[in-house]
Amino acid sequence: MKQTQNISKTIAVMSMSLDGFVADSNDGVSEVFDWYFAGDIEVEAGGADAMTFRLSHPSAEHYKNLVSELGAVLTGKRTFNVAQGWGGNHGWGPAFVLTHSVPKGWPKPNSNVHFVTGGLESAIEQAKAAANGKAVGIHGADTIQQCLNAGLLDELHIDITAVLLGSGVRLFEHLENTPYTLGDPIVTSGKGVTHLRYPVIKK
């Protein structure tokens, strides 16, 4: 089992404005997620929130391929709050929330949302075990920054949306040990979005 866990990749997955923000100054994310509703191909999001995306053809193929790789997700408390706990079940599989304390009323019965108070490495280890050899999707600006700073991120998967926010929550604001070198990107052009996937070259 340990061998299977060790090959599990960590993939940062975020939508970002062209000027580098993943949310506006009020924590709003609608502008960076507009591309999820810019096409005519219906894709079910899964999870407790029965949302149907309407993607352009390139984005639909891109999204389906990504989700098929993921077996679990790791995120932070801020993202958990903004998403209102994903209704108790995340569509990408078991969700692990990195936090200092478990929110009141959680964990909930029959939920796939778990809370980790033992630090980043413990959270990644638990998420990889739950992913069962598949990749772990890392979500949330702060959690992605922590993973980069700790050398625990394998890939950056960034959806660059056709908007300039000007202010808000930056994806790459608190990086240490820079510069980070990335490999050649895989680029997919969708409607209102450019999907970029970079391998992170470990130092």
Side-chain angles (χ1 to χ4, degrees):
M1 180 62 71
K2 285 187 177 180
Q3 185 177 1
T4 300
Q5 292 174 21
N6 286 340
I7 64 172
S8 181
K9 293 191 298 185
T10 53
I11 304 174
V13 183
M14 286 295 286
S15 289
M16 183 177 76
S17 68
L18 184 59
D19 53 345
F21 297 97
V22 297
D24 62 27
S25 55
N26 296 314
D27 270 347
V29 296
S30 60
E31 300 96 339
V32 296
F33 285 126
D34 278 349
W35 65 273
Y36 278 94
F37 306 96
D40 53 12
I41 296 178
E42 293 190 352
V43 177
E44 298 297 327
D49 296 330
M51 185 177 294
T52 300
F53 300 140
R54 291 177 175 81
L55 304 170
S56 64
H57 184 270
S59 291
E61 291 301 308
H62 171 82
Y63 178 80
K64 289 176 185 177
N65 289 337
L66 169 66
V67 172
S68 70
E69 289 184 50
L70 302 178
V73 60
L74 171 63
T75 187
K77 181 76 172 298
R78 181 175 186 157
T79 301
F80 166 84
N81 289 337
V82 171
Q84 298 181 344
W86 311 283
N89 283 281
H90 199 291
W92 293 351
F96 294 82
V97 180
L98 186 62
T99 182
H100 294 295
S101 60
V102 178
K104 186 177 180 179
W106 292 82
K108 296 184 181 297
N110 303 315
S111 171
N112 73 353
V113 180
H114 312 277
F115 299 88
V116 182
T117 58
L120 180 63
E121 291 190 11
S122 175
I124 288 181
E125 182 178 340
Q126 292 181 52
K128 283 187 173 184
N132 197 26
K134 288 187 143 188
V136 175
I138 311 295
H139 199 65
D142 184 64
T143 306
I144 289 171
Q145 290 166 26
Q146 288 187 56
C147 288
L148 271 170
N149 292 337
L152 297 173
L153 194 65
D154 296 310
E155 293 186 11
L156 283 168
H157 181 123
I158 309 298
D159 305 304
I160 305 292
T161 57
V163 64
L164 299 168
L165 290 181
S167 63
V169 180
R170 287 194 179 275
L171 180 54
F172 300 119
E173 187 159 20
H174 302 293
L175 296 185
E176 303 168 0
N177 309 314
T178 53
Y180 288 96
T181 303
L182 308 178
D184 293 335
I186 297 173
V187 182
T188 303
S189 296
K191 186 174 182 181
V193 63
T194 302
H195 307 286
L196 301 175
R197 184 165 185 166
Y198 293 93
V200 178
I201 298 175
K202 299 298 177 68
K203 296 181 179 181

